Amino acid sequence: MEFNFTEEQLMIQESARDFAQNEIAPSAVERDIKAEFPYEIVKKMGELGFMGMMVPPEFGGAGLDTVSYVLAMIEISKVDASVGVIMSVNNSLVCYGLEKYGSPYIKEKYLIPLAKGEKLGAFALSEPEAGSDATKQKTTADKDGNYYVLNGIKNWITNGTTADYVLVMATTDKSKGHKGISTFVVEKGYEGFGHGVKEDKLGIRSSDTCSLTFENCRVPAQNLVWEEGKGFNFAMNTLNGGRIGIAAQAIGIAEASLEAALKYSKQRKAFGQEIANFQAIQFKLADMAVKVDAAKLLTLKAAALKDAAKPYYKEAAMAKLYASKIAVECALEAIQIHGGYGYVREYLVERYLRDAKITEIYEGTSEIQRIVIARALLDQK
Ligand code: CAA
Ligand code: FAD
């Protein structure tokens, strides 16, 4: 594995860092409090190429590798994990899925504007009774001439109220179980497609999460992605890359926690000296630094494997499992190091904890990542 980043990768990292510090940080606290979606920020990110980073230029993207994407995701999520998840869904679930499996028509009509950041995407797999147990899809898509008619409910959809295009998994043939699931591009504004109210969340509050409803929603047959019955494989294959994105999001939160803890421990005095002089504090900082680096190595390994077109699903699950765990741990330790000040909004670390928790839940809970890893180890996949 290569430990030196290329000049291009370092340049992407730096430009993401500059953008995050200058354009995202100033409004992050207020957007968290008010649960406000970062419309202007997402628009600018599109203009800078951050919404379709890995898509080839002929389809409107920046044509970068997954390692660059990970470096950028870390910088953005370090400042605001809400923006991180919006970016992650558009890049690694929606754009990747359409680039890999979309027809020429779908690429032209949907991928190009999504990769350019002119349109925003969402990925709708989860349902009220099909979260971890994702094969138990109840949403149906019945063929009717040149259309599929969708009926059902999707739950917890990131970018749900804001997305222009949603990738929806639905059952086209119930008798075939998960091999009867298909994926469709559904446009905002199609008749019969609606959404619920925005969820009032613990963390990533500035991101937009809601349920989606389909009531006799007619979707043109040419919006079928890949082919009938391939929708579950589509979702799983796409989620492997998504899990790298969420691992990077978690690392961003963990790194922000470490930096905040380092800064505060050198400012705060107790018993006549900086608390950074106490070994108990130093050990916490040391442990946090080890965890952040270990999570980065796992995540970059998964990204490098993906870039080399080698199998990476196990490594992606390992990266997400570990990075999400240490994000929660680092945020908790950062609060501990801040004492009472860590528990209030005046300092940022309480948000880091609230934002960190979701990384252990979405794109497959930690329990599901362990299932994926164990099955790979036991050769059961
Ligand atoms: N990569 C590729 N294929 C995979 C896969 C992976 N990681 N995991 C499973 N599959 C494939 C299997 O190979 C199998 O394919 P075939 O039938 O073609 O052989 C198919 O999926 C079914 O697999 P299983 O028989 O193992 O199915 P299962 O029901 O026992 O378990 C599961 C599957 C791994 C638990 C799966 O349901 C899962 O990953 N659940 C979690 C769902 C999830 O991650 N949801 C995220 C929603 S999106 C989101 O959350 C976005 C966001 O927040 C921002
Ligand atoms: P359940 O599946 O009901 O799980 C409940 C608990 O049981 C968990 O701890 C789980 O790990 C455990 N469990 C379940 N099965 C097993 C097992 N076999 N072994 C051991 N433990 C098990 N989904 C989308 O499709 N698109 C999105 O954009 C999206 N964004 C989201 C944004 C937010 C803020 C949230 C909260 C969720 C989002 N999700 C999205 C849904 C998310 O992927 C699911 O919440 C997640 O997959 C878990 O499903 P569930 O909530 O139904 O929990």
Side-chain angles (χ1 to χ4, degrees):
M1 199 173 140
E2 181 60 67
F3 283 94
N4 291 322
F5 295 121
T6 63
E7 268 184 38
E8 184 180 66
Q9 288 163 344
L10 290 172
M11 199 187 74
I12 300 300
Q13 182 184 42
E14 197 182 317
S15 74
R17 186 179 298 148
D18 286 349
F19 183 79
Q21 299 294 342
N22 297 326
E23 307 277 344
I24 304 179
S27 58
V29 170
E30 197 180 339
R31 280 184 292 99
D32 170 62
I33 293 169
K34 295 184 178 166
E36 270 175 8
F37 189 83
Y39 291 100
E40 278 307 307
I41 288 169
V42 172
K43 191 166 163 259
K44 281 188 194 160
M45 284 172 69
E47 288 160 7
L48 290 171
F50 287 122
M51 298 305 279
M53 289 186 71
M54 295 166 288
V55 176
E58 65 261 37
F59 296 118
L64 296 165
D65 59 9
T66 315
V67 168
S68 301
Y69 168 63
V70 164
L71 296 176
M73 267 295 296
I74 292 174
E75 294 303 326
I76 303 283
S77 303
K78 200 166 159 180
V79 164
D80 189 344
S82 291
V83 178
V85 73
I86 297 164
M87 175 177 164
S88 180
V89 166
N90 202 72
N91 274 280
S92 41
L93 296 183
V94 180
C95 284
Y96 174 81
L98 295 185
E99 185 213 327
K100 186 115 173 107
Y101 301 106
S103 63
Y105 164 80
I106 284 179
K107 284 184 182 157
E108 184 68 29
K109 181 159 186 198
Y110 297 113
L111 176 59
I112 291 176
L114 283 162
K116 283 184 176 170
E118 293 165 357
K119 300 284 182 189
L120 185 66
F123 180 92
L125 175 67
S126 305
E127 298 189 353
E129 290 169 72
S132 302
D133 195 2
T135 64
K136 303 297 182 306
Q137 298 283 306
K138 285 197 173 155
T139 300
T140 52
D142 298 317
K143 191 93 189 274
D144 180 17
N146 287 332
Y147 288 84
Y148 286 88
V149 183
L150 268 61
N151 280 288
I153 301 173
K154 293 288 169 183
N155 242 17
W156 315 114
I157 306 307
T158 300
N159 300 340
T161 73
T162 33
D164 302 282
Y165 308 137
V166 185
L167 302 189
V168 181
M169 273 39 83
T171 295
T172 39
D173 186 345
K174 208 172 172 202
S175 69
K176 292 185 179 159
H178 74 270
K179 292 202 183 288
I181 296 170
S182 308
T183 302
F184 301 90
V185 183
V186 177
E187 289 187 32
K188 189 182 201 167
Y190 278 179
E191 208 175 319
F193 171 34
H195 62 75
V197 290
K198 277 167 87 163
E199 302 290 349
D200 188 9
K201 305 191 293 288
L202 173 72
I204 55 162
R205 288 175 52 75
S206 157
S207 75
D208 156 26
T209 319
C210 68
S211 60
L212 303 179
T213 53
F214 302 91
E215 285 178 63
N216 294 322
C217 174
R218 294 176 76 78
V219 176
Q222 57 194 355
N223 285 22
L224 171 70
V225 181
W226 201 355
E227 53 191 74
E228 263 196 33
K230 291 286 193 188
F232 195 73
N233 297 100
F234 170 90
M236 290 296 114
N237 294 346
T238 304
L239 277 164
N240 290 331
R243 287 166 185 167
I244 296 177
I246 299 305
Q249 182 197 29
I251 293 165
I253 301 168
E255 209 166 71
S257 303
L258 171 60
E259 285 182 13
L262 277 168
K263 187 172 165 204
Y264 188 79
S265 65
K266 288 191 275 186
Q267 288 169 350
R268 180 68 176 171
K269 290 201 169 66
F271 299 93
Q273 55 186 311
E274 293 170 2
I275 60 169
N277 290 336
F278 300 133
Q279 199 177 51
I281 300 291
Q282 291 176 358
F283 281 11
K284 287 186 196 300
L285 295 170
D287 285 346
M288 287 164 82
V290 172
K291 288 172 183 176
V292 169
D293 247 35
K296 266 191 196 165
L297 288 172
L298 280 174
T299 306
L300 288 167
K301 180 181 175 188
L305 286 171
K306 179 166 176 276
D307 287 336
K310 294 193 172 148
Y312 64 94
Y313 76 94
K314 181 185 79 199
E315 288 75 11
M318 290 168 108
K320 193 213 174 240
L321 173 65
Y322 186 71
S324 60
K325 177 175 176 285
I326 67 105
V328 172
E329 290 170 359
C330 289
L332 268 171
E333 286 295 46
I335 292 177
Q336 192 66 18
I337 289 171
H338 279 70
Y341 295 98
Y343 201 68
V344 293
R345 278 196 200 272
E346 187 185 347
Y347 286 83
L348 297 176
V349 287
E350 62 84 33
R351 172 162 62 91
Y352 298 157
L353 180 63
R354 289 187 288 105
D355 286 353
K357 184 58 204 172
I358 189 60
T359 64
E360 293 189 305
I361 296 172
Y362 57 22
E363 300 212 14
T365 63
S366 296
E367 292 76 13
I368 293 302
Q369 305 309 326
R370 288 187 174 93
I371 290 174
V372 172
I373 297 162
R375 284 183 183 174
L377 292 173
L378 297 165
D379 211 12
Q380 287 181 350
K381 185 178 165 274

